[in-house]
Amino acid sequence: MTLTELKYIVAVARARHFGHAAEACFVAQPTLSVAIKKLEDELGVTLFERGGSEVSVTPLGAQIVAQAERVLEQTAAIKELAKQNKDPLSGPLRLGVIYTIGPYLLPPLVKNLIDKVPQMPLVLQENFTVKLLDLLRQGELDAAIMALPLPEHGMAVQPLYDEPFVVAMPKNHPWATRKDISAEDLKSETMLLLGAGHCFRDQVLEVCPEMAKFSSPSTGNGMQRTFEGSSLETIRHMVASGIGLTVLPRASVPDMKDPNGMLTFVPFQDPAPSRRVVIVWRKSFTRRAAIDAVVNAVAECGLPGVEMVTFQDVA
């Protein structure tokens, strides 16, 4: 039994497909399939039920995969322990960021870290929350910045900042001169949302329940119409062209009163919907000074409209 074989079975269990698992592990599918068959023969058990386009995990296989995940996490911890006598701020830090935070936080964050800890370059990856948590468990990432709420994860979490949401609309929209907007107002509008998989979409639907009704237009109470976009920047262009309105995180709006822009931004009525942004890392990760360096750098980014969370706020 090898760590590589354990990595392969975890990948197959997650992908439910041998080809996709092989791609994720950067190996040829026959290589992965042979290694897994060798492990099954050694253990004398069947880990996966093959058949059709999707692979399913046997009940015993699920228990073995869960144990393999723990072994791989502990292996990553051993590697981290080997670094304890070295400078925790020396060497790359592998940092994940969700799609709706990365474009707005990373430019000032990278600059701050270059200024403060140039010996700790960032290896960055943008992805969905669930995928980033998987990469953390596998030891492929050291830390990740994402937004609450999170699925069950077993990681260490430290809050960074609270970020309110704002409504974006075309410059000539009748609401452009309003002081604020309620979530109730939005049910009569054509709305643009991120596609499924983006946690910001779920957060918007959670804090603006009227928007969640768009999926049931037959009730007569839902959104007038709803479109989906692949990124917040794509959605902004669609809003500017006059298709409808959208909800954006405040940090994505540098200037709420930009006279030269194509959009107008209006805050929500108090209490405004918001999200809490956090940094997450494995509890076994030993470079705590590196995490602290990122936390301090985020605090100095000067993101527009956000409120930094202090330890007193957390308590």
Side-chain angles (χ1 to χ4, degrees):
M1 185 187 305
T2 66
L3 292 174
T4 298
E5 291 167 352
L6 297 184
K7 181 179 179 181
Y8 289 169
I9 66 171
V10 169
V12 171
R14 287 184 174 141
R16 305 280 172 162
H17 191 281
F18 278 85
H20 296 162
E23 291 175 5
C25 295
F26 303 103
V27 297
Q29 182 175 336
T31 300
L32 178 138
S33 298
V34 169
I36 291 178
K37 184 62 169 63
K38 173 179 171 292
L39 179 59
E40 288 181 321
D41 290 343
E42 178 183 343
L43 297 177
V45 300
T46 299
L47 300 175
F48 303 104
E49 294 179 2
R50 290 109 165 139
S53 59
E54 184 173 293
V55 175
S56 60
V57 188
T58 64
L60 179 57
Q63 297 179 49
I64 292 174
V65 167
Q67 183 63 38
E69 289 177 330
R70 290 190 287 270
V71 170
L72 292 172
E73 181 176 339
Q74 289 302 313
T75 301
I78 291 173
K79 294 179 180 179
E80 293 301 329
L81 287 170
K83 299 176 182 177
Q84 280 187 338
N85 291 329
K86 301 179 181 179
D87 181 359
L89 297 178
S90 179
L93 182 75
R94 299 167 298 174
L95 181 68
V97 189
I98 59 173
Y99 291 114
T100 57
I101 292 177
Y104 319 108
L105 174 63
L106 288 180
L109 176 61
V110 171
K111 182 180 184 301
N112 286 348
L113 287 172
I114 290 174
D115 292 341
K116 301 291 185 181
V117 282
Q119 73 276 25
M120 190 183 77
L122 293 180
V123 178
L124 298 168
Q125 177 166 158
E126 281 187 299
N127 218 310
F128 297 112
T129 297
V130 172
K131 180 61 176 176
L132 292 178
L133 287 172
D134 278 346
L135 293 172
L136 279 169
R137 294 188 191 99
Q138 296 170 36
E140 299 295 324
L141 287 177
D142 299 321
I145 295 176
M146 51 190 70
L148 299 180
L150 300 176
E152 186 65 31
H153 54 81
M155 302 282 174
V157 179
Q158 181 167 329
L160 297 173
Y161 57 85
D162 292 325
E163 179 178 29
F165 301 158
V166 299
V167 181
M169 63 195 69
K171 207 75 172 177
N172 60 354
H173 193 279
W175 293 353
T177 57
R178 290 181 58 169
K179 179 182 177 181
D180 52 38
I181 291 174
S182 70
E184 175 75 16
D185 293 332
L186 298 178
K187 73 177 183 179
S188 63
E189 293 295 308
T190 299
M191 297 299 300
L192 285 77
L193 296 173
L194 285 170
H198 289 274
C199 63
F200 183 68
R201 169 197 175 95
D202 299 330
Q203 291 156 6
V204 170
L205 292 177
E206 180 179 352
V207 299
C208 303
E210 289 300 332
M211 296 181 67
K213 296 178 183 178
F214 80 90
S215 59
S216 302
S218 60
T219 63
N221 297 321
M223 309 302 300
Q224 176 182 335
R225 198 175 178 192
T226 304
F227 294 92
E228 293 185 356
S230 58
S231 72
L232 290 181
E233 295 310 304
T234 298
I235 287 177
R236 290 165 81 110
H237 293 308
M238 294 169 69
V239 171
S241 70
I243 291 180
L245 280 61
T246 195
V247 175
L248 296 174
R250 179 63 178 84
S252 70
V253 183
D255 185 358
M256 290 281 285
K257 303 295 183 182
D258 182 7
N260 300 316
M262 296 184 292
L263 299 176
T264 293
F265 305 99
V266 180
F268 278 95
Q269 291 178 1
D270 289 334
S274 64
R275 65 178 178 179
R276 172 158 287 190
V277 175
V278 300
I279 184 168
V280 182
W281 67 96
R282 292 184 307 281
K283 293 177 181 178
S284 58
F285 185 61
T286 59
R287 295 173 63 192
R288 180 54 196 263
I291 301 296
D292 292 340
V294 174
V295 171
N296 293 334
V298 170
E300 296 176 3
C301 282
L303 294 176
V306 310
E307 181 177 351
M308 303 309 299
V309 179
T310 65
F311 288 111
Q312 289 78 10
D313 294 331
V314 177

